[in-house]
Amino acid sequence: MIERECLTCRSRQKFQKLNSDEKAAVRAEKGDRYYVDNLWRCTAVGCRWYQPYLHRGGGGLLPEEFRIEEAAATD
């Protein structure tokens, strides 16, 4: 994980590389030849933002089904 400024959260957040399902969703939107191996996503609750490692202006939003939900409380 890395820490970056998230455009949608408007604060520093932890980012992780896209998983295979997330990469497929980006390619479905941007085209099969779109390079997805350097894309990172914000891990904040409710966020769908992704971006290249050092270029936050080159990012976008993952589809709604990739929204990170708050973890359920375990007792």
Side-chain angles (χ1 to χ4, degrees):
M1 282 199 175
I2 59 171
E3 206 170 280
R4 293 277 180 248
E5 189 74 22
C6 177
L7 284 180
T8 57
C9 294
R10 297 183 181 258
S11 61
R12 289 190 70 80
Q13 298 293 334
K14 291 184 179 178
F15 278 68
Q16 68 184 21
K17 285 193 129 186
L18 295 185
N19 65 34
S20 59
D21 291 338
E22 294 164 339
K23 287 178 183 181
V26 172
R27 279 197 176 118
E29 177 188 338
K30 304 261 187 188
D32 290 338
R33 297 180 60 120
Y34 191 78
Y35 185 71
V36 295
D37 290 335
N38 192 31
L39 295 178
W40 296 71
R41 70 152 310 156
C42 178
T43 60
V45 172
C47 193
R48 298 181 294 137
W49 179 255
Y50 70 88
Q51 67 185 45
Y53 184 74
L54 291 174
H55 183 56
R56 70 180 182 174
L61 293 175
L62 291 166
E64 188 65 37
E65 63 263 22
F66 292 103
R67 180 179 298 277
I68 294 178
E69 300 297 333
E70 191 167 359
T74 57
D75 291 330

